[in-house]
Amino acid sequence: MNLNAKAERVGPSDEALAEALKGGDESAFEEIVRRHQGRVFAVAYRMTGNREDALDVAQEALLKAYRKIHSWQPSGGFGAWLLRLTTNQSIDHMRRRKRHLHETLEDSFRPGAATEPVREDTAVQVRGGEIEARVQVALAVLSPSQRTVFVLRHYEGLALADIAPVLGCTVGSVKVHLFRAMKKLQRELGDLRE
């Protein structure tokens, strides 16, 4: 298979799609959403710790990308720009949520709500769920910048150099945020060490 055939199968780059969207090609936005909605939701979920909030944040981030596509510059990667929009939207959402404290669906009691049956062979899944819940609570202790760096590095697997443009800072600052995040998480989750 030659490289041109491979490029045709993969489709245009994210940057080419962003340029097409800037030019008014609505189908380019559909492809951007198809490619990135899962990652945008994952980042939003890790930042907010709540499925419903993450859905709202992801939708708003993608809409903001559509509305602000003219501010994107080809000199920066499109993926980093989109993640920056997503993390900023997540941070704004968390700030609004702190101002308007409300009970989450997971915490509320709903009479008559169906519950999943607990199977005896799911002890490992239950323990994993408990650990994930503890990690989500511990992530709330981090500052927005620390949480962003931690989520992008450990959940999204981005290199430190790729996180810096998302936060609009230097790689050195990213390292400091990551170091502080790790220290706080070690204190919060120290009892989980076996």
PDB file of all heavy atoms in Angstrom, residues 46-74:
ATOM      1  N   ARG A  46     -13.209  13.716  33.627  1.00  0.00           N
ATOM      2  CA  ARG A  46     -12.133  13.691  34.623  1.00  0.00           C
ATOM      3  C   ARG A  46     -12.006  15.021  35.351  1.00  0.00           C
ATOM      4  O   ARG A  46     -11.645  15.063  36.521  1.00  0.00           O
ATOM      5  CB  ARG A  46     -10.802  13.331  33.964  1.00  0.00           C
ATOM      6  CG  ARG A  46     -10.772  11.950  33.384  1.00  0.00           C
ATOM      7  CD  ARG A  46     -10.870  10.907  34.444  1.00  0.00           C
ATOM      8  NE  ARG A  46     -10.867   9.587  33.839  1.00  0.00           N
ATOM      9  CZ  ARG A  46     -11.254   8.509  34.454  1.00  0.00           C
ATOM     10  NH1 ARG A  46     -11.670   8.554  35.683  1.00  0.00           N
ATOM     11  NH2 ARG A  46     -11.225   7.345  33.848  1.00  0.00           N
ATOM     12  N   MET A  47     -12.332  16.088  34.662  1.00  0.00           N
ATOM     13  CA  MET A  47     -12.240  17.406  35.290  1.00  0.00           C
ATOM     14  C   MET A  47     -13.417  17.662  36.233  1.00  0.00           C
ATOM     15  O   MET A  47     -13.237  18.202  37.316  1.00  0.00           O
ATOM     16  CB  MET A  47     -12.194  18.503  34.221  1.00  0.00           C
ATOM     17  CG  MET A  47     -10.946  18.499  33.368  1.00  0.00           C
ATOM     18  SD  MET A  47      -9.465  18.965  34.267  1.00  0.00           S
ATOM     19  CE  MET A  47      -9.811  20.676  34.637  1.00  0.00           C
ATOM     20  N   THR A  48     -14.625  17.271  35.823  1.00  0.00           N
ATOM     21  CA  THR A  48     -15.810  17.583  36.627  1.00  0.00           C
ATOM     22  C   THR A  48     -16.172  16.473  37.605  1.00  0.00           C
ATOM     23  O   THR A  48     -16.790  16.733  38.624  1.00  0.00           O
ATOM     24  CB  THR A  48     -17.037  17.848  35.735  1.00  0.00           C
ATOM     25  OG1 THR A  48     -17.349  16.662  35.001  1.00  0.00           O
ATOM     26  CG2 THR A  48     -16.800  19.012  34.790  1.00  0.00           C
ATOM     27  N   GLY A  49     -15.813  15.222  37.261  1.00  0.00           N
ATOM     28  CA  GLY A  49     -16.124  14.098  38.134  1.00  0.00           C
ATOM     29  C   GLY A  49     -17.587  13.693  38.114  1.00  0.00           C
ATOM     30  O   GLY A  49     -18.046  12.988  38.992  1.00  0.00           O
ATOM     31  N   ASN A  50     -18.325  14.126  37.100  1.00  0.00           N
ATOM     32  CA  ASN A  50     -19.759  13.887  37.071  1.00  0.00           C
ATOM     33  C   ASN A  50     -20.192  13.742  35.613  1.00  0.00           C
ATOM     34  O   ASN A  50     -19.891  14.599  34.785  1.00  0.00           O
ATOM     35  CB  ASN A  50     -20.445  15.088  37.739  1.00  0.00           C
ATOM     36  CG  ASN A  50     -21.942  15.033  37.702  1.00  0.00           C
ATOM     37  OD1 ASN A  50     -22.532  14.891  36.645  1.00  0.00           O
ATOM     38  ND2 ASN A  50     -22.549  15.178  38.861  1.00  0.00           N
ATOM     39  N   ARG A  51     -20.914  12.668  35.308  1.00  0.00           N
ATOM     40  CA  ARG A  51     -21.300  12.376  33.924  1.00  0.00           C
ATOM     41  C   ARG A  51     -22.161  13.471  33.313  1.00  0.00           C
ATOM     42  O   ARG A  51     -21.932  13.905  32.184  1.00  0.00           O
ATOM     43  CB  ARG A  51     -22.038  11.034  33.860  1.00  0.00           C
ATOM     44  CG  ARG A  51     -22.406  10.631  32.454  1.00  0.00           C
ATOM     45  CD  ARG A  51     -23.142   9.266  32.437  1.00  0.00           C
ATOM     46  NE  ARG A  51     -23.418   8.847  31.093  1.00  0.00           N
ATOM     47  CZ  ARG A  51     -24.454   9.287  30.350  1.00  0.00           C
ATOM     48  NH1 ARG A  51     -25.282  10.164  30.849  1.00  0.00           N
ATOM     49  NH2 ARG A  51     -24.628   8.838  29.128  1.00  0.00           N
ATOM     50  N   GLU A  52     -23.172  13.917  34.042  1.00  0.00           N
ATOM     51  CA  GLU A  52     -24.079  14.934  33.508  1.00  0.00           C
ATOM     52  C   GLU A  52     -23.346  16.244  33.257  1.00  0.00           C
ATOM     53  O   GLU A  52     -23.546  16.890  32.227  1.00  0.00           O
ATOM     54  CB  GLU A  52     -25.269  15.149  34.460  1.00  0.00           C
ATOM     55  CG  GLU A  52     -26.242  13.990  34.490  1.00  0.00           C
ATOM     56  CD  GLU A  52     -25.735  12.791  35.293  1.00  0.00           C
ATOM     57  OE1 GLU A  52     -24.863  12.979  36.163  1.00  0.00           O
ATOM     58  OE2 GLU A  52     -26.204  11.677  35.039  1.00  0.00           O
ATOM     59  N   ASP A  53     -22.495  16.645  34.198  1.00  0.00           N
ATOM     60  CA  ASP A  53     -21.712  17.866  34.009  1.00  0.00           C
ATOM     61  C   ASP A  53     -20.765  17.706  32.823  1.00  0.00           C
ATOM     62  O   ASP A  53     -20.584  18.636  32.039  1.00  0.00           O
ATOM     63  CB  ASP A  53     -20.904  18.196  35.267  1.00  0.00           C
ATOM     64  CG  ASP A  53     -21.791  18.673  36.413  1.00  0.00           C
ATOM     65  OD1 ASP A  53     -22.968  19.010  36.170  1.00  0.00           O
ATOM     66  OD2 ASP A  53     -21.299  18.694  37.560  1.00  0.00           O
ATOM     67  N   ALA A  54     -20.161  16.538  32.695  1.00  0.00           N
ATOM     68  CA  ALA A  54     -19.222  16.296  31.594  1.00  0.00           C
ATOM     69  C   ALA A  54     -19.929  16.369  30.246  1.00  0.00           C
ATOM     70  O   ALA A  54     -19.375  16.901  29.279  1.00  0.00           O
ATOM     71  CB  ALA A  54     -18.540  14.947  31.767  1.00  0.00           C
ATOM     72  N   LEU A  55     -21.153  15.848  30.169  1.00  0.00           N
ATOM     73  CA  LEU A  55     -21.916  15.953  28.921  1.00  0.00           C
ATOM     74  C   LEU A  55     -22.179  17.415  28.572  1.00  0.00           C
ATOM     75  O   LEU A  55     -22.028  17.822  27.413  1.00  0.00           O
ATOM     76  CB  LEU A  55     -23.234  15.185  29.039  1.00  0.00           C
ATOM     77  CG  LEU A  55     -23.128  13.663  29.021  1.00  0.00           C
ATOM     78  CD1 LEU A  55     -24.458  13.026  29.413  1.00  0.00           C
ATOM     79  CD2 LEU A  55     -22.679  13.164  27.652  1.00  0.00           C
ATOM     80  N   ASP A  56     -22.567  18.201  29.572  1.00  0.00           N
ATOM     81  CA  ASP A  56     -22.797  19.629  29.342  1.00  0.00           C
ATOM     82  C   ASP A  56     -21.525  20.330  28.899  1.00  0.00           C
ATOM     83  O   ASP A  56     -21.527  21.106  27.941  1.00  0.00           O
ATOM     84  CB  ASP A  56     -23.326  20.307  30.611  1.00  0.00           C
ATOM     85  CG  ASP A  56     -24.742  19.891  30.961  1.00  0.00           C
ATOM     86  OD1 ASP A  56     -25.438  19.327  30.092  1.00  0.00           O
ATOM     87  OD2 ASP A  56     -25.139  20.132  32.118  1.00  0.00           O
ATOM     88  N   VAL A  57     -20.427  20.053  29.598  1.00  0.00           N
ATOM     89  CA  VAL A  57     -19.148  20.695  29.283  1.00  0.00           C
ATOM     90  C   VAL A  57     -18.682  20.301  27.885  1.00  0.00           C
ATOM     91  O   VAL A  57     -18.244  21.154  27.105  1.00  0.00           O
ATOM     92  CB  VAL A  57     -18.075  20.337  30.340  1.00  0.00           C
ATOM     93  CG1 VAL A  57     -16.679  20.696  29.867  1.00  0.00           C
ATOM     94  CG2 VAL A  57     -18.390  21.026  31.663  1.00  0.00           C
ATOM     95  N   ALA A  58     -18.786  19.023  27.557  1.00  0.00           N
ATOM     96  CA  ALA A  58     -18.341  18.562  26.236  1.00  0.00           C
ATOM     97  C   ALA A  58     -19.150  19.238  25.134  1.00  0.00           C
ATOM     98  O   ALA A  58     -18.594  19.704  24.134  1.00  0.00           O
ATOM     99  CB  ALA A  58     -18.460  17.048  26.140  1.00  0.00           C
ATOM    100  N   GLN A  59     -20.448  19.313  25.308  1.00  0.00           N
ATOM    101  CA  GLN A  59     -21.293  19.959  24.312  1.00  0.00           C
ATOM    102  C   GLN A  59     -20.921  21.431  24.175  1.00  0.00           C
ATOM    103  O   GLN A  59     -20.783  21.947  23.064  1.00  0.00           O
ATOM    104  CB  GLN A  59     -22.756  19.811  24.697  1.00  0.00           C
ATOM    105  CG  GLN A  59     -23.693  20.435  23.687  1.00  0.00           C
ATOM    106  CD  GLN A  59     -25.162  20.219  24.045  1.00  0.00           C
ATOM    107  OE1 GLN A  59     -25.490  19.750  25.125  1.00  0.00           O
ATOM    108  NE2 GLN A  59     -26.031  20.573  23.137  1.00  0.00           N
ATOM    109  N   GLU A  60     -20.758  22.110  25.301  1.00  0.00           N
ATOM    110  CA  GLU A  60     -20.398  23.527  25.260  1.00  0.00           C
ATOM    111  C   GLU A  60     -19.020  23.744  24.638  1.00  0.00           C
ATOM    112  O   GLU A  60     -18.819  24.706  23.887  1.00  0.00           O
ATOM    113  CB  GLU A  60     -20.446  24.132  26.665  1.00  0.00           C
ATOM    114  CG  GLU A  60     -21.834  24.388  27.166  1.00  0.00           C
ATOM    115  CD  GLU A  60     -22.619  25.352  26.282  1.00  0.00           C
ATOM    116  OE1 GLU A  60     -22.076  26.387  25.860  1.00  0.00           O
ATOM    117  OE2 GLU A  60     -23.794  25.049  25.985  1.00  0.00           O
ATOM    118  N   ALA A  61     -18.070  22.869  24.945  1.00  0.00           N
ATOM    119  CA  ALA A  61     -16.720  23.003  24.384  1.00  0.00           C
ATOM    120  C   ALA A  61     -16.748  22.835  22.868  1.00  0.00           C
ATOM    121  O   ALA A  61     -16.080  23.590  22.142  1.00  0.00           O
ATOM    122  CB  ALA A  61     -15.775  21.990  25.023  1.00  0.00           C
ATOM    123  N   LEU A  62     -17.485  21.860  22.388  1.00  0.00           N
ATOM    124  CA  LEU A  62     -17.570  21.655  20.937  1.00  0.00           C
ATOM    125  C   LEU A  62     -18.300  22.819  20.257  1.00  0.00           C
ATOM    126  O   LEU A  62     -17.892  23.260  19.172  1.00  0.00           O
ATOM    127  CB  LEU A  62     -18.234  20.318  20.624  1.00  0.00           C
ATOM    128  CG  LEU A  62     -17.373  19.096  20.967  1.00  0.00           C
ATOM    129  CD1 LEU A  62     -18.200  17.816  20.949  1.00  0.00           C
ATOM    130  CD2 LEU A  62     -16.188  18.985  20.016  1.00  0.00           C
ATOM    131  N   LEU A  63     -19.345  23.333  20.886  1.00  0.00           N
ATOM    132  CA  LEU A  63     -20.029  24.506  20.334  1.00  0.00           C
ATOM    133  C   LEU A  63     -19.119  25.732  20.337  1.00  0.00           C
ATOM    134  O   LEU A  63     -19.115  26.523  19.389  1.00  0.00           O
ATOM    135  CB  LEU A  63     -21.313  24.802  21.111  1.00  0.00           C
ATOM    136  CG  LEU A  63     -22.467  23.847  20.859  1.00  0.00           C
ATOM    137  CD1 LEU A  63     -23.628  24.128  21.813  1.00  0.00           C
ATOM    138  CD2 LEU A  63     -22.945  23.940  19.414  1.00  0.00           C
ATOM    139  N   LYS A  64     -18.348  25.872  21.399  1.00  0.00           N
ATOM    140  CA  LYS A  64     -17.411  26.993  21.472  1.00  0.00           C
ATOM    141  C   LYS A  64     -16.350  26.857  20.379  1.00  0.00           C
ATOM    142  O   LYS A  64     -15.956  27.851  19.765  1.00  0.00           O
ATOM    143  CB  LYS A  64     -16.758  27.049  22.852  1.00  0.00           C
ATOM    144  CG  LYS A  64     -15.962  28.321  23.079  1.00  0.00           C
ATOM    145  CD  LYS A  64     -15.463  28.416  24.501  1.00  0.00           C
ATOM    146  CE  LYS A  64     -16.540  29.066  25.336  1.00  0.00           C
ATOM    147  NZ  LYS A  64     -16.074  29.417  26.678  1.00  0.00           N
ATOM    148  N   ALA A  65     -15.898  25.628  20.127  1.00  0.00           N
ATOM    149  CA  ALA A  65     -14.931  25.407  19.050  1.00  0.00           C
ATOM    150  C   ALA A  65     -15.529  25.845  17.711  1.00  0.00           C
ATOM    151  O   ALA A  65     -14.855  26.479  16.899  1.00  0.00           O
ATOM    152  CB  ALA A  65     -14.504  23.946  19.000  1.00  0.00           C
ATOM    153  N   TYR A  66     -16.785  25.529  17.505  1.00  0.00           N
ATOM    154  CA  TYR A  66     -17.471  25.920  16.267  1.00  0.00           C
ATOM    155  C   TYR A  66     -17.559  27.445  16.152  1.00  0.00           C
ATOM    156  O   TYR A  66     -17.246  28.020  15.121  1.00  0.00           O
ATOM    157  CB  TYR A  66     -18.874  25.303  16.239  1.00  0.00           C
ATOM    158  CG  TYR A  66     -19.676  25.685  15.030  1.00  0.00           C
ATOM    159  CD1 TYR A  66     -19.484  25.029  13.822  1.00  0.00           C
ATOM    160  CD2 TYR A  66     -20.617  26.702  15.095  1.00  0.00           C
ATOM    161  CE1 TYR A  66     -20.226  25.370  12.697  1.00  0.00           C
ATOM    162  CE2 TYR A  66     -21.367  27.055  13.978  1.00  0.00           C
ATOM    163  CZ  TYR A  66     -21.158  26.386  12.786  1.00  0.00           C
ATOM    164  OH  TYR A  66     -21.893  26.742  11.678  1.00  0.00           O
ATOM    165  N   ARG A  67     -17.972  28.076  17.248  1.00  0.00           N
ATOM    166  CA  ARG A  67     -18.148  29.533  17.230  1.00  0.00           C
ATOM    167  C   ARG A  67     -16.826  30.286  17.153  1.00  0.00           C
ATOM    168  O   ARG A  67     -16.761  31.371  16.586  1.00  0.00           O
ATOM    169  CB  ARG A  67     -18.917  29.989  18.469  1.00  0.00           C
ATOM    170  CG  ARG A  67     -20.386  29.611  18.459  1.00  0.00           C
ATOM    171  CD  ARG A  67     -21.171  30.297  19.566  1.00  0.00           C
ATOM    172  NE  ARG A  67     -20.629  30.097  20.888  1.00  0.00           N
ATOM    173  CZ  ARG A  67     -21.045  29.173  21.751  1.00  0.00           C
ATOM    174  NH1 ARG A  67     -22.016  28.358  21.408  1.00  0.00           N
ATOM    175  NH2 ARG A  67     -20.514  29.082  22.945  1.00  0.00           N
ATOM    176  N   LYS A  68     -15.771  29.717  17.748  1.00  0.00           N
ATOM    177  CA  LYS A  68     -14.495  30.421  17.824  1.00  0.00           C
ATOM    178  C   LYS A  68     -13.436  29.874  16.869  1.00  0.00           C
ATOM    179  O   LYS A  68     -12.250  30.146  17.039  1.00  0.00           O
ATOM    180  CB  LYS A  68     -13.957  30.353  19.261  1.00  0.00           C
ATOM    181  CG  LYS A  68     -14.809  31.100  20.243  1.00  0.00           C
ATOM    182  CD  LYS A  68     -14.157  31.100  21.610  1.00  0.00           C
ATOM    183  CE  LYS A  68     -14.892  32.006  22.534  1.00  0.00           C
ATOM    184  NZ  LYS A  68     -14.107  33.157  22.913  1.00  0.00           N
ATOM    185  N   ILE A  69     -13.855  29.110  15.876  1.00  0.00           N
ATOM    186  CA  ILE A  69     -12.882  28.498  14.958  1.00  0.00           C
ATOM    187  C   ILE A  69     -12.004  29.550  14.291  1.00  0.00           C
ATOM    188  O   ILE A  69     -10.844  29.295  13.986  1.00  0.00           O
ATOM    189  CB  ILE A  69     -13.578  27.592  13.909  1.00  0.00           C
ATOM    190  CG1 ILE A  69     -12.551  26.744  13.162  1.00  0.00           C
ATOM    191  CG2 ILE A  69     -14.409  28.421  12.950  1.00  0.00           C
ATOM    192  CD1 ILE A  69     -11.815  25.750  14.025  1.00  0.00           C
ATOM    193  N   HIS A  70     -12.510  30.754  14.114  1.00  0.00           N
ATOM    194  CA  HIS A  70     -11.714  31.801  13.461  1.00  0.00           C
ATOM    195  C   HIS A  70     -10.564  32.275  14.344  1.00  0.00           C
ATOM    196  O   HIS A  70      -9.612  32.861  13.837  1.00  0.00           O
ATOM    197  CB  HIS A  70     -12.605  32.962  13.029  1.00  0.00           C
ATOM    198  CG  HIS A  70     -13.569  32.557  11.953  1.00  0.00           C
ATOM    199  ND1 HIS A  70     -13.167  32.287  10.663  1.00  0.00           N
ATOM    200  CD2 HIS A  70     -14.898  32.328  11.990  1.00  0.00           C
ATOM    201  CE1 HIS A  70     -14.209  31.926   9.934  1.00  0.00           C
ATOM    202  NE2 HIS A  70     -15.287  31.927  10.727  1.00  0.00           N
ATOM    203  N   SER A  71     -10.619  31.999  15.652  1.00  0.00           N
ATOM    204  CA  SER A  71      -9.510  32.378  16.534  1.00  0.00           C
ATOM    205  C   SER A  71      -8.402  31.328  16.558  1.00  0.00           C
ATOM    206  O   SER A  71      -7.308  31.591  17.058  1.00  0.00           O
ATOM    207  CB  SER A  71     -10.019  32.636  17.956  1.00  0.00           C
ATOM    208  OG  SER A  71     -10.431  31.424  18.562  1.00  0.00           O
ATOM    209  N   TRP A  72      -8.690  30.134  16.019  1.00  0.00           N
ATOM    210  CA  TRP A  72      -7.653  29.087  15.971  1.00  0.00           C
ATOM    211  C   TRP A  72      -6.631  29.460  14.910  1.00  0.00           C
ATOM    212  O   TRP A  72      -6.986  29.873  13.806  1.00  0.00           O
ATOM    213  CB  TRP A  72      -8.265  27.726  15.649  1.00  0.00           C
ATOM    214  CG  TRP A  72      -7.213  26.686  15.415  1.00  0.00           C
ATOM    215  CD1 TRP A  72      -6.444  26.071  16.359  1.00  0.00           C
ATOM    216  CD2 TRP A  72      -6.782  26.162  14.155  1.00  0.00           C
ATOM    217  NE1 TRP A  72      -5.568  25.203  15.768  1.00  0.00           N
ATOM    218  CE2 TRP A  72      -5.755  25.242  14.414  1.00  0.00           C
ATOM    219  CE3 TRP A  72      -7.166  26.401  12.838  1.00  0.00           C
ATOM    220  CZ2 TRP A  72      -5.104  24.541  13.406  1.00  0.00           C
ATOM    221  CZ3 TRP A  72      -6.515  25.714  11.835  1.00  0.00           C
ATOM    222  CH2 TRP A  72      -5.504  24.799  12.116  1.00  0.00           C
ATOM    223  N   GLN A  73      -5.360  29.289  15.260  1.00  0.00           N
ATOM    224  CA  GLN A  73      -4.272  29.586  14.328  1.00  0.00           C
ATOM    225  C   GLN A  73      -3.580  28.292  13.928  1.00  0.00           C
ATOM    226  O   GLN A  73      -3.279  27.461  14.793  1.00  0.00           O
ATOM    227  CB  GLN A  73      -3.248  30.528  14.975  1.00  0.00           C
ATOM    228  CG  GLN A  73      -3.822  31.893  15.316  1.00  0.00           C
ATOM    229  CD  GLN A  73      -4.334  32.618  14.083  1.00  0.00           C
ATOM    230  OE1 GLN A  73      -3.680  32.630  13.038  1.00  0.00           O
ATOM    231  NE2 GLN A  73      -5.516  33.208  14.191  1.00  0.00           N
ATOM    232  N   PRO A  74      -3.289  28.120  12.644  1.00  0.00           N
ATOM    233  CA  PRO A  74      -2.640  26.890  12.170  1.00  0.00           C
ATOM    234  C   PRO A  74      -1.273  26.641  12.794  1.00  0.00           C
ATOM    235  O   PRO A  74      -0.786  25.521  12.771  1.00  0.00           O
ATOM    236  CB  PRO A  74      -2.511  27.102  10.655  1.00  0.00           C
ATOM    237  CG  PRO A  74      -3.491  28.156  10.318  1.00  0.00           C
ATOM    238  CD  PRO A  74      -3.651  29.002  11.543  1.00  0.00           C
TER     239      PRO A  74
END
